[in-house]
C-alpha cells in the first residue's frame, strides 16, 4: 500500500507542486546519507517514509513499517509510553521525544532516542512530521553502569553481613547485567561456596542449586571458578558454542542435555580479589535475552567484582578487628578506656560510669560539652574544632588528646566516635570510646629508634654492655673509658668515641674517655671550653649536633687529621641529668651518620650520664658515710671518756661540798648556807648529768646482742626499779599482754624504765595512770606507753628526743634532758622507730616498734 492511496482527501498536499517535489527528493537524498534512522509522517501521524537504514537495522519491510507498523520493532514494555507521547505531540503539535528499546534484525534490543518536529505552512498549520531515531545504547549503558555501581556500592556498604549482601547483589544484577548471576567465595576449608544465584525467572533458581549439588566444579577443570580463583584472571566466553558445552559436560549426557536446554549464549567470570589475594568469583551469563558480552561488559563486571571484594574484605577485617578489640578490651583495665554516647548535636546526655572512673568528673560536670574541661588546655581548641567538623560532615571522629585522669595526671588518649545513622541517613546519635594509649605511644616512640634488626641487636648489646660497665665499682674516669670502648666495639661505624665531663671548678669540658681506631692519633685537646670546637658547641647549646661534612666544618681542630683517618661525620650528644650538663658524648664516623644514629646514641648517652652521675653520688655518699661514722665513733668515745674521767674529780668536789654543808650549816650567815646549798645541788646535778651521758654513750658501745626477750618480764624489772617512785606518786599501772621480741634485755629494761618514769614525773593534779600495751604490725611489734599527764604541744614532738632538750625548768621537774634521747637511740639500734601522740592537759602516748621473734621454718631454721 502506497502513501497516496492512504491519504485522507481533506488533507492538503503541498508537496504536489514541482517545487515541493524537488524539496522532497533533496530531503530523501539527505535522509539516506545520514547515519541515523529517519522517518516522516503525515499531519495525522501516518508514517509514510523510512530511510533504508531503518529497514536494514530492524529487518522489517515497507509494507510492515508504514502506517501503524512503526512500533513493531519496539520493545513491548516501551510501546505504551512511546504511543502516549506520540499521540500527545499529534494533538498539541509539540516536539516528540522518547527513549525506547528497538530490536535489531538479529533480535538484540538497543536503546534509541526518538525525536520528531512538525513543519508548518505560512498559516501555522502542520503539513509534515520529520523524525529521527538515534542509537544511545552506549550512553545509556554508561549511565546505567554508573547508576548500577552506585546502587551496588550502597548495597555492599549497607551491612557487615557480607554473605547476605552478596546474595542480594546477584538479584540486583539480574536482568540489568545478565540473565544469570552467581557469586562464589572460598570458605574456611578452601572450597568455593555459592553465596547467591539469581535468574530472570525466579523459579529457575532452585534448579540452579540442584544442578550445582549434582555437578559441583572440580579443581582439575581448565576453566570455571577454580581456574579464576587460582589464576586471579577473568574468563570470558563471548559466544558459548556447542563444542564448549560438550567439553564442559565431562562426558555426562544428562549434563550436556541440561546445558543445551538452558540456551546459554555468553558468559563472563571475574575474580573477587583484595590486598593481592583472590577469594571468590562473580559469574554473569546471557541466555534468554540472546545478548553477548563485550569487552566493555567485562571491564564493568571487573569493577563490580572489585567493589564486592572490597566489601567482603572490609567485613572480614572488621570482624577480625572486632574479635581483636574484644580480646584487647579484656586486657585493659576499666580506667584505660571510657565509652560515651552523645546526641546528634554532640552534647553528652547519657551517664558513662567508665568516663567518670577515668576522669573523676561527676556526671553533672561532663554533661553537654563539660567534658572539654578535662582536656589539656593546649589541646582544647584543636579537639573542639575536630569534633565540630566531624559532626558537620557526619563522618567518623578520631583524634588524640591529653586527658586529665582522676588523680590529676594527664594521659595520652585516642578518642574515636562514629555516627549511628537512621535509614534516612540522619545522625541518630554518636557513640565513641576514649582509650588510654600513653603506654602505647611511649612504646611506639621507643620502637621508632630501632628501625632495623641489625641496629636493634647492636643497640641492645651496647646497652647491656654499658649497663654492665656502669654497675662496676670503679672510678668515674674508669667507667667513662670502659663505656667508650664498649660503643666502639658494638658500633663498628664509629672510628672514635670520646666522653667529656663538665667541670664546674675548671669551667671547661675535660676528656675522660677516648677509644677507637683514631684515638691514638687524635689531635683533640684534653680540655675544651664551652663554645670551642665541635665538642664545646654541643656543651654550650645543650643540643645534639650532627655533621656529615666534617672536613668542611670550621669548628674542626685539624682537617689533615680527619683526612688521614678518613673521618667524614661527627655526632655530639650532651650528657644531661635533671636538666644540668654533666658532659658530652662525641663520636666520629668514617661514613655519613643518619638521624637514626642520633636516636640510637641518645639512649646510650642518657644511660652514661645517669650512670656516671650515680657513681659520683655513690662515691660521695660513701665518703660522707665513712666520715660520718668516724665522727660518730669519735664523739661516742669522747662522751664515754669525758663522762668516765669526770666521775673521780666530781666525787671529790661532791664529798667536800657535802662536808661543808654538814659542818658549817647554821654557823655562818644565811648567805653562806644558801651558797653552800647551791654548790651541793650543782654537784648532784652534774653527777646525774654525767651518769646519763655515760648511759647514752654506752647504748652503742656496751650493748649486748639481740636475742628473744619476754618484753613483759623486762617491764616487770623496770617497774621494780621504779617502785619507790610509783608508791610516792600513788600511780596506777595497767599492763596488757606483752609479746617476746628480739632485743637487748638490759636496754629494753632501760627503755621501759625511762618512758614509765617520764609518765610518773610529768603527771597533773590527778594521780598518774599508765597503760602499757603492744600490737603486731607486720614483722614488728608496736608498743604504747599511755599516761594521763600534762601532755606536750605538737611543735615539741621532735625536740624532746634531742639530747639536753628540756621543756621545763629544773625547779619544776628534775632531770637532765637525756632520758628520751637514750630511748630514741635504743629503739633505732633495734631497727625500730619511736614517736608520740599528745594533747596538752590530756596526757601523752609514747609509741615505739621492736622486731618480732622470727617464726621457725619447717627445717627448724628461723625465717
Amino acid at each position: 500500500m502506497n502513501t497516496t492511496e492512504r491519504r485522507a482527501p481533506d488533507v492538503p498536499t503541498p508537496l504536489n507542486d514541482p517545487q515541493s517535489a524537488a524539496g522532497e527528493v533533496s530531503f530523501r537524498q539527505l535522509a539516506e546519507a545520514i547515519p541515523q534512522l529517519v522517518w516522516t509522517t503525515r499531519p495525522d501521524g501516518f508514517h509514510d517514509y523510512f530511510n533504508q537504514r531503518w529497514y536494514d537495522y530492524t529487518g522489517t519491510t515497507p509494507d510492515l513499517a508504514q502506517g501503524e507498523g512503526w512500533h513493531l520493532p519496539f520493545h513491548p514494555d516501551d510501546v505504551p509510553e512511546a504511543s502516549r507521547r506520540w499521540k500527545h505531540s499529534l494533538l498539541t503539535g509539540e516536539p516528540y521525544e522518547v527513549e525506547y528499546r528497538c530490536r535489531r534484525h538479529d533480535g538484540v534490543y538497543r536503546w534509541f532516542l526518538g525525536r520528531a518536529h512538525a513543519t508548518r505552512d505560512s498559516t501555522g498549520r502542520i503539513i509534515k512530521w520529520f523524525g529521527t531515531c538515534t542509537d544511545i545504547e552506549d550512553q545509556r549503558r554508561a549511565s546505567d553502569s554508573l547508576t548500577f555501581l552506585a546502587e551496588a556500592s550502597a548495597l555492599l556498604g549497607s551491612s557487615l553481613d557480607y554473605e547476605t549482601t552478596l546474595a542480594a547483589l546477584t538479584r540486583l544484577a539480574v536482568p540489568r547485567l545478565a540473565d544469570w548471576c552467581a557469586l562464589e567465595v572460598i570458605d574456611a576449608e578452601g572450597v568455593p561456596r555459592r553465596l547467591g544465584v539469581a535468574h530472570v525467572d525466579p523459579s529457575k533458581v532452585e534448579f540452579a542449586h540442584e544442578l550445582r549439588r549434582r555437578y559441583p566444579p572440580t579443581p582439575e577443570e581448565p576453566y570455571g571458578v577454580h581456574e579464576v580463583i587460582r589464576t586471579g584472571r577473568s574468563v570470558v566466553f563471548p559466544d558459548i558454542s556447542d563444542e564448549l558445552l560438550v567439553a564442559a559436560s565431562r562426558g555426562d549426557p544428562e549434563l550436556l542435555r541440561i546445558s543445551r536446554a538452558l540456551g546459554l549464549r555468553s558468559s563472563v567470570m571475574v575474580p573477587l580479589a583484595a590486598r593481592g589475594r583472590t577469594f571468590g568469583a562473580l559469574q554473569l551469563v546471557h541466555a534468554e535475552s540472546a545478548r553477548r558480552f563485550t569487552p566493555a561488559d567485562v571491564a564493568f563486571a571487573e569493577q563490580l567484582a572489585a567493589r564486592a571484594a572490597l566489601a567482603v574484605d572490609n567485613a572480614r577485617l572488621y570482624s577480625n578487628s572486632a574479635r581483636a578489640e574484644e580480646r584487647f578490651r579484656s586486657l585493659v583495665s576499666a580506667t584505660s578506656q571510657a565509652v560515651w554516647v552523645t546526641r546528634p548535636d554532640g552534647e553528652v546526655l547519657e551517664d558513662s560510669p567508665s568516663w567518670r572512673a577515668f576522669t573523676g568528673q561527676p556526671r553533672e560536670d561532663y554533661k553537654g560539652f563539660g567534658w572539654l574541661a578535662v582536656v589539656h588546655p593546649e589541646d582544647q581548641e584543636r579537639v573542639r574544632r575536630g569534633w565540630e567538623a566531624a559532626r558537620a560532615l557526619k563522618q567518623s571522629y578520631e583524634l588524640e588528646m591529653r586527658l586529665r585522669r582522676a588523680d590529676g595526671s594527664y594521659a595520652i588518649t585516642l578518642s574515636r566516635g562514629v555516627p549511628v545513622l537512621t535509614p534516612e541517613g540522619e545522625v541518630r546519635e554518636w557513640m565513641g570510646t576514649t582509650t588510654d594509649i600513653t603506654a602505647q605511644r611511649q612504646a611506639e616512640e621507643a620502637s621508632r629508634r630501632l628501625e632495623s634488626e641489625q641496629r636493634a641487636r647492636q643497640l641492645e648489646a651496647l646497652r647491656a654492655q654499658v649497663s654492665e660497665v656502669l654497675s662496676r665499682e670503679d672510678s668515674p674516669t674508669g667507667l667513662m673509658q670502659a663505656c667508650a670502648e664498649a660503643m666502639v666495639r658494638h658500633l663498628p661505624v664509629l672510628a672514635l668515641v670520646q666522653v667529656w665531663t663538665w667541670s664546674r671548678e675548671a669551667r671547661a669540658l675535660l676528656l675522660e674517655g677516648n677509644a677507637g681506631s683514631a684515638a691514638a692519633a687524635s689531635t683533640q685537646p684534653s680540655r675544651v671550653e664551652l663554645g670551642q670546637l665541635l665538642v664545646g658547641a654541643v656543651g654550650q647549646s645543650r643540643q645534639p649536633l650532627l655533621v656529615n661534612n666534617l672536613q668542611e666544618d670550621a669548628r674542626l681542630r685539624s682537617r689533615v687529621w680527619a683526612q688521614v683517618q678518613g673521618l667524614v661525620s661527627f655526632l655530639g650528644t650532651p650528657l644531661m641529668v635533671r636538666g644540668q650538663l654533666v658532659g658530652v658524648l662525641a663520636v666520629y664516623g668514617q661514613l655519613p651518620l643518619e638521624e637514626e644514629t642520633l636516636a640510637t646514641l641518645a639512649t646510650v648517652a642518657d644511660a652514661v650520664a645517669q650512670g656516671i652521675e650515680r657513681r659520683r653520688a655513690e662515691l660521695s655518699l660513701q665518703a660522707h658515710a665513712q666520715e660520718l661514722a668516724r665522727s660518730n665513733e669519735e664523739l661516742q668515745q669522747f662522751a664515754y671518756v669525758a663522762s668516765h674521767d669526770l666521775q673521780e674529780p666530781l666525787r671529790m668536789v661532791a664529798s667536800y661540798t657535802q662536808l661543808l654543808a654538814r659542818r658549817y650549816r647554821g654557823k655562818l650567815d644565811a648567805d653562806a648556807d644558801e651558797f653552800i646549798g647551791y654548790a651541793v645541788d650543782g654537784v648532784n646535778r652534774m653527777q646525774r648529768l654525767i651518769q646519763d651521758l655515760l648511759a647514752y654513750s654506752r647504748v652503742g658501745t656496751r650493748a649486748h646482742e639481740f636475742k628473744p626477750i619476754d618484753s613483759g618480764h623486762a617491764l616487770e624489772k623496770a617497774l621494780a626499779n621504779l617502785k619507790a617512785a610509783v608508791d610516792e606518786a600513788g600511780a596506777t599501772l595497767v599492763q596488757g599482754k606483752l609479746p617476746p621480741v628480739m632485743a637487748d634485755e638490759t636496754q629494753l629494761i632501760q627503755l621501759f624504765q625511762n618512758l614509765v618514769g617520764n609518765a610518773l614525773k610529768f603527771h597533773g593534779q590527778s594521780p598518774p595512770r599508765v597503760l602499757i600495751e603492744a600490737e603486731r604490725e607486720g614483722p614488728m611489734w608496736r608498743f604504747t606507753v599511755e599516761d594521763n599527764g600534762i601532755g606536750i604541744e605538737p611543735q615539741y614532738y621532735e625536740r624532746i628526743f634531742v639530747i639536753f632538750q628540756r621543756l621545763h625548768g629544773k625547779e619544776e621537774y628534775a632531770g637532765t634532758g637525756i632520758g628520751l634521747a637514750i630511748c630514741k637511740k635504743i629503739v633505732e639500734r633495734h631497727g625500730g622507730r619511736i614517736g608520740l601522740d599528745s594533747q596538752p592537759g590530756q596526757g601523752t602516748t609514747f609509741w615505739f616498734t621492736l622486731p618480732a621473734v622470727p617464726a621457725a621454718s619447717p627445717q627448724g631454721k628461723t625465717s
Side-chain angles (χ1 to χ4, degrees):
M1 183 183 297
N2 57 46
T3 58
T4 304
E5 295 172 338
R6 295 286 301 274
R7 183 180 300 129
D10 57 341
V11 176
T13 310
L15 298 178
N16 288 338
D17 61 84
Q19 186 176 359
S20 298
E24 178 74 10
V25 171
S26 299
F27 163 75
R28 295 199 175 188
Q29 289 176 344
L30 177 62
E32 295 297 334
I34 63 177
Q36 291 174 297
L37 311 183
V38 182
W39 48 271
T40 64
T41 76
R42 298 187 316 209
D44 61 356
F46 183 86
H47 286 70
D48 56 7
Y49 169 74
F50 292 93
N51 68 351
Q52 187 60 40
R53 288 186 182 277
W54 167 272
Y55 298 117
D56 294 341
Y57 182 84
T58 62
T60 59
T61 63
D63 292 338
L64 293 175
Q66 289 186 349
E68 298 300 324
W70 58 272
H71 56 71
L72 291 178
F74 281 31
H75 193 285
D77 294 343
D78 300 337
V79 171
E81 178 63 17
S83 299
R84 185 188 67 78
R85 295 195 182 190
W86 179 232
K87 290 178 181 179
H88 176 77
S89 296
L90 292 176
L91 182 63
T92 62
E94 295 177 359
Y96 169 69
E97 183 171 318
V98 67
E99 292 184 6
Y100 56 86
R101 285 164 289 181
C102 185
R103 188 181 64 245
R104 201 166 56 190
H105 58 82
D106 58 359
V108 174
Y109 282 98
R110 291 178 65 86
W111 281 97
F112 276 77
L113 173 63
R115 285 176 175 162
H117 291 269
T119 302
R120 303 174 187 268
D121 61 14
S122 58
T123 65
R125 187 174 54 180
I126 296 176
I127 59 176
K128 199 76 170 176
W129 286 88
F130 293 92
T132 60
C133 301
T134 304
D135 189 331
I136 60 171
E137 176 70 19
D138 293 339
Q139 299 94 310
R140 182 66 180 255
R141 178 171 296 186
S143 176
D144 289 347
S145 297
L146 292 176
T147 302
F148 182 84
L149 284 178
E151 294 177 11
S153 298
L155 173 64
L156 293 169
S158 63
S159 171
L160 290 173
D161 181 4
Y162 67 86
E163 295 190 4
T164 301
T165 54
L166 290 182
L169 181 65
T170 61
R171 296 190 294 272
L172 182 66
V174 173
R176 296 165 69 177
L177 301 185
D179 302 319
W180 287 92
C181 180
L183 205 147
E184 315 254 354
V185 172
I186 296 292
D187 61 16
E189 287 73 30
V191 178
R193 181 165 65 92
R194 179 170 284 179
L195 294 186
V197 62
H199 188 264
V200 289
D201 183 359
S203 63
K204 290 187 178 182
V205 172
E206 184 56 36
F207 174 71
H209 288 303
E210 178 62 26
L211 190 64
R212 173 61 179 267
R213 285 191 290 270
R214 291 175 58 185
Y215 303 101
T218 61
E220 297 78 17
E221 291 176 344
Y223 44 79
V225 63
H226 283 286
E227 178 66 13
V228 171
I229 294 175
R230 184 167 52 249
T231 64
R233 294 192 296 269
S234 301
V235 173
V236 185
F237 297 103
D239 291 286
I240 299 178
S241 62
D242 190 66
E243 291 78 7
L244 182 61
L245 295 178
V246 172
S249 65
R250 313 171 198 167
D252 188 326
E254 179 62 14
L255 179 58
L256 178 60
R257 184 191 67 78
I258 294 173
S259 300
R260 286 171 173 169
L262 290 175
L264 307 179
R265 299 292 183 88
S266 183
S267 173
V268 58
M269 184 176 291
V270 295
L272 297 180
R275 293 187 296 148
R277 184 175 64 90
T278 303
F279 53 82
L282 172 69
Q283 184 176 20
L284 301 172
V285 178
H286 283 317
E288 286 81 357
S289 64
R291 290 180 289 178
R292 301 292 190 275
F293 286 109
T294 65
D297 295 326
V298 176
F300 180 75
E302 290 175 342
Q303 282 189 4
L304 178 62
R307 299 193 181 197
L310 182 61
V312 173
D313 191 56
N314 287 341
R316 287 177 171 178
L317 286 175
Y318 181 84
S319 177
N320 293 338
S321 66
R323 288 194 295 270
E325 181 74 9
E326 183 178 355
R327 291 193 295 268
F328 173 74
R329 285 174 181 266
S330 67
L331 300 176
V332 179
S333 62
T335 57
S336 66
Q337 190 172 52
V339 181
W340 42 268
V341 181
T342 79
R343 294 192 320 189
D345 61 2
E347 286 199 7
V348 176
L349 286 182
E350 295 188 18
D351 183 27
S352 174
S354 54
W355 179 270
R356 284 191 277 108
F358 188 89
T359 64
Q361 264 192 315
R363 181 182 177 186
E364 291 301 318
D365 289 355
Y366 69 77
K367 277 174 46 178
F369 291 92
W371 55 271
L372 273 170
V374 295
V375 177
H376 194 283
E378 296 177 1
D379 298 344
Q380 286 183 4
E381 183 61 23
R382 176 175 58 86
V383 171
R384 183 187 61 77
R385 289 199 307 268
W387 181 223
E388 289 178 351
R391 297 197 327 267
L393 299 174
K394 301 179 184 179
Q395 293 181 348
S396 296
Y397 168 77
E398 182 171 321
L399 198 66
E400 285 190 19
M401 67 184 78
R402 288 169 289 179
L403 206 62
R404 190 177 67 233
R405 297 188 182 97
D407 62 2
S409 63
Y410 280 94
I412 302 174
T413 63
L414 176 63
S415 188
R416 289 193 179 103
V418 293
V420 180
L421 303 179
T422 64
E424 294 76 23
E426 297 300 321
V427 176
R428 186 176 68 225
E429 61 185 5
W430 289 84
M431 298 190 65
T433 60
T434 298
T435 306
D436 186 347
I437 60 169
T438 304
Q440 178 183 341
R441 287 293 174 263
Q442 291 172 347
E444 290 174 355
E445 182 66 23
S447 67
R448 276 193 286 269
R449 301 175 184 171
L450 310 174
E451 293 190 3
S452 68
E453 184 179 354
Q454 180 181 7
R455 188 181 304 277
R457 287 197 301 267
Q458 290 175 344
L459 177 59
E460 188 60 33
L462 176 57
R463 290 175 61 184
Q465 183 67 39
V466 169
S467 297
E468 188 276 328
V469 167
L470 295 174
S471 66
R472 300 173 186 171
E473 294 186 358
D474 198 352
S475 65
T477 301
L479 294 180
M480 285 182 276
Q481 179 62 31
C483 287
E485 293 171 355
M487 282 184 268
V488 170
R489 185 162 52 253
H490 290 283
L491 295 177
V493 69
L494 304 180
L496 176 62
V497 175
Q498 294 180 328
V499 182
W500 300 75
T501 61
W502 168 247
S503 172
R504 295 181 180 86
E505 294 76 14
R507 304 298 298 171
L509 292 167
L510 306 180
L511 183 61
E512 301 279 2
N514 191 35
S517 59
S522 174
T523 64
Q524 298 292 326
S526 59
R527 171 194 169 101
V528 171
E529 295 183 1
L530 294 183
Q532 291 184 344
L533 308 180
L534 291 166
V535 174
V538 175
Q540 185 177 52
S541 67
R542 268 73 164 175
Q543 296 294 326
L545 174 62
L546 177 63
V547 178
N548 277 325
N549 56 342
L550 179 63
Q551 298 179 16
E552 304 299 324
D553 199 294
R555 292 166 292 188
L556 182 64
R557 181 179 178 87
S558 172
R559 184 175 302 173
V560 175
W561 164 73
Q563 291 175 345
V564 171
Q565 299 299 322
L567 303 180
V568 299
S569 56
F570 167 84
L571 175 62
T573 305
L575 303 180
M576 309 290 294
V577 175
R578 295 183 296 275
Q580 298 297 318
L581 179 70
V582 298
V584 172
L585 172 64
V587 301
Y588 298 81
Q590 295 175 330
L591 294 173
L593 300 176
E594 303 175 354
E595 289 288 344
E596 302 165 358
T597 308
L598 181 66
T600 300
L601 291 178
T603 304
V604 177
D606 184 62
V608 170
Q610 299 290 341
I612 292 173
E613 193 69 9
R614 183 175 60 252
R615 185 56 183 159
R616 285 176 173 174
E618 288 173 354
L619 293 176
S620 176
L621 184 60
Q622 288 175 5
H624 183 69
Q626 291 172 357
E627 179 62 24
L628 186 60
R630 183 191 61 78
S631 177
N632 285 340
E633 184 177 355
E634 289 177 353
L635 286 174
Q636 286 185 352
Q637 185 65 24
F638 170 77
Y640 175 75
V641 171
S643 59
H644 182 273
D645 292 349
L646 287 174
Q647 293 272 21
E648 187 59 32
L650 191 57
R651 275 195 294 268
M652 181 177 293
V653 174
S655 298
Y656 281 102
T657 54
Q658 291 169 1
L659 179 60
L660 284 172
R662 287 194 302 270
R663 180 173 297 181
Y664 295 104
R665 184 183 304 274
K667 297 180 180 181
L668 302 176
D669 57 14
D671 288 342
D673 289 344
E674 183 181 0
F675 296 158
I676 292 173
Y678 287 155
V680 172
D681 181 63
V683 169
N684 290 336
R685 287 191 293 110
M686 179 64 77
Q687 283 182 320
R688 289 195 301 272
L689 183 62
I690 291 174
Q691 289 170 358
D692 287 347
L693 185 60
L694 185 60
Y696 182 80
S697 67
R698 285 176 174 174
V699 171
T701 58
R702 291 195 176 183
H704 302 294
E705 65 177 348
F706 299 156
K707 60 183 178 180
I709 299 297
D710 184 346
S711 60
H713 185 62
L715 176 61
E716 291 173 0
K717 291 184 178 181
L719 295 179
N721 296 337
L722 295 169
K723 186 176 186 308
V726 173
D727 294 342
E728 180 182 352
T732 301
L733 301 178
V734 180
Q735 175 182 339
K737 186 177 180 179
L738 301 183
V741 293
M742 293 297 293
D744 179 338
E745 184 177 20
T746 302
Q747 292 186 349
L748 182 56
I749 294 171
Q750 187 177 12
L751 176 61
F752 279 128
Q753 186 170 322
N754 285 1
L755 293 177
V756 175
N758 239 36
L760 297 175
K761 181 192 303 184
F762 297 100
H763 66 82
Q765 298 296 326
S766 302
R769 184 181 184 277
V770 185
L771 172 63
I772 304 98
E773 293 182 308
E775 62 178 352
R776 187 68 178 259
E777 285 188 353
M780 309 292 283
W781 282 98
R782 188 176 191 270
F783 291 82
T784 57
V785 179
E786 178 182 349
D787 64 48
N788 61 342
I790 62 175
I792 302 173
E793 294 283 354
Q795 62 266 32
Y796 301 124
Y797 284 1
E798 295 296 330
R799 175 181 169 184
I800 61 174
F801 291 107
V802 180
I803 191 169
F804 301 134
Q805 294 296 315
R806 294 172 51 87
L807 304 183
H808 307 278
K810 65 180 185 299
E811 295 80 7
E812 298 179 75
Y813 299 97
T816 60
I818 300 180
L820 289 178
I822 293 175
C823 293
K824 185 174 187 292
K825 194 167 185 180
I826 291 174
V827 171
E828 290 179 347
R829 176 175 177 259
H830 285 72
R833 298 180 299 115
I834 188 170
L836 75 151
D837 299 305
S838 180
Q839 290 292 333
Q842 299 182 19
T844 302
T845 300
F846 281 93
W847 58 264
F848 60 90
T849 59
L850 294 176
V853 177
S857 65
Q859 291 77 18
K861 299 180 179 179
T862 58
S863 59

